[in-house]
Amino acid sequence: MIDYWTHLKPRERYLLASAGIVLVLLMLYLFLLEPFMLKAESLKQSVATHQKDMLWLKQAALEVEQLRKGNSGNAASGLQGRSLLLVVDQSAKRYKLADSMKRVEPDGSTRVRVWLDSATFDEVTRWMSELESKYQLKVESAVIDKTDVAGRVNARLVFLGSDS
């Protein structure tokens, strides 16, 4: 190898030495520097994502705390002094379930039974969720049957106020 090097003209030695240096620098970049730079960029993106998640979690925690403070009372605070029947009826109208509501009857002072025929399934589930989250009414029982029309159901529901 040394013989080969010594027999080269100075111009060829300079060219090979330059190519060798460029090759070494290229390999250092490709195998050392670039992976570190890619990893650093990935970590920056990960930190940004985690910071967004943390901000969202803090906001959600504040909201949960506010809801806990606001809902720490009994069912009357959730119902705001209104009767179970009135709350169920008014909320059903907001969800466009009034036409589907065939029967609503009280069952004692803390329960209400509701019969819905050919109601939109999505609206029924949203309505049930609102009654639970906003008015603290629990679904004691639910029988939901599909109908011949896609997306429509017949439902028999019993809601329970939280003061029992």
Side-chain angles (χ1 to χ4, degrees):
M1 182 89 133
I2 294 175
D3 268 351
Y4 177 74
W5 184 259
T6 56
H7 285 86
L8 291 175
K9 295 180 184 173
R11 186 174 178 191
E12 291 172 338
R13 275 187 254 166
Y14 176 75
L15 185 62
L16 280 176
S18 298
I21 290 172
V22 168
L23 184 64
V24 167
L25 290 175
L26 181 65
M27 290 182 70
L28 282 173
Y29 175 78
L30 289 176
F31 294 115
L32 293 177
L33 199 57
E34 188 180 30
F36 284 121
M37 290 176 18
L38 291 175
K39 184 66 174 177
E41 185 62 32
S42 171
L43 289 173
K44 284 180 187 177
Q45 290 175 352
S46 177
V47 166
T49 301
H50 289 304
Q51 285 175 337
K52 287 179 187 176
D53 290 345
M54 184 63 141
L55 179 63
W56 181 86
L57 283 171
K58 286 180 180 179
Q59 290 172 344
L62 287 173
E63 187 176 332
V64 166
E65 189 63 33
Q66 289 172 351
L67 288 172
R68 282 185 180 161
K69 287 179 183 176
N71 295 337
S72 62
N74 59 15
S77 68
L79 298 175
Q80 299 164 348
R82 296 180 287 176
S83 74
L84 279 171
L85 288 174
L86 182 64
V87 167
V88 168
D89 186 57
Q90 287 178 344
S91 62
K93 287 178 183 173
R94 278 195 305 277
Y95 284 89
K96 298 180 177 100
L97 295 172
D99 293 337
S100 300
M101 195 176 285
K102 297 304 172 196
R103 189 169 162 190
V104 181
E105 66 180 34
D107 184 6
S109 63
T110 60
R111 281 191 184 94
V112 64
R113 296 180 185 277
V114 180
W115 284 262
L116 298 169
D117 287 338
S118 191
T120 307
F121 177 77
D122 292 340
E123 293 302 316
V124 171
T125 55
R126 286 188 196 109
W127 176 59
M128 290 168 56
S129 177
E130 177 184 291
L131 287 174
E132 185 167 353
S133 64
K134 188 173 181 181
Y135 301 107
Q136 292 81 45
L137 299 180
K138 303 291 182 205
V139 178
E140 186 178 61
S141 70
V143 177
I144 300 175
D145 299 314
K146 67 178 183 175
T147 64
D148 293 336
V149 180
R152 297 274 179 174
V153 295
N154 295 328
R156 306 296 171 256
L157 309 166
V158 178
F159 294 100
L160 177 65
S162 63
D163 60 334
S164 65

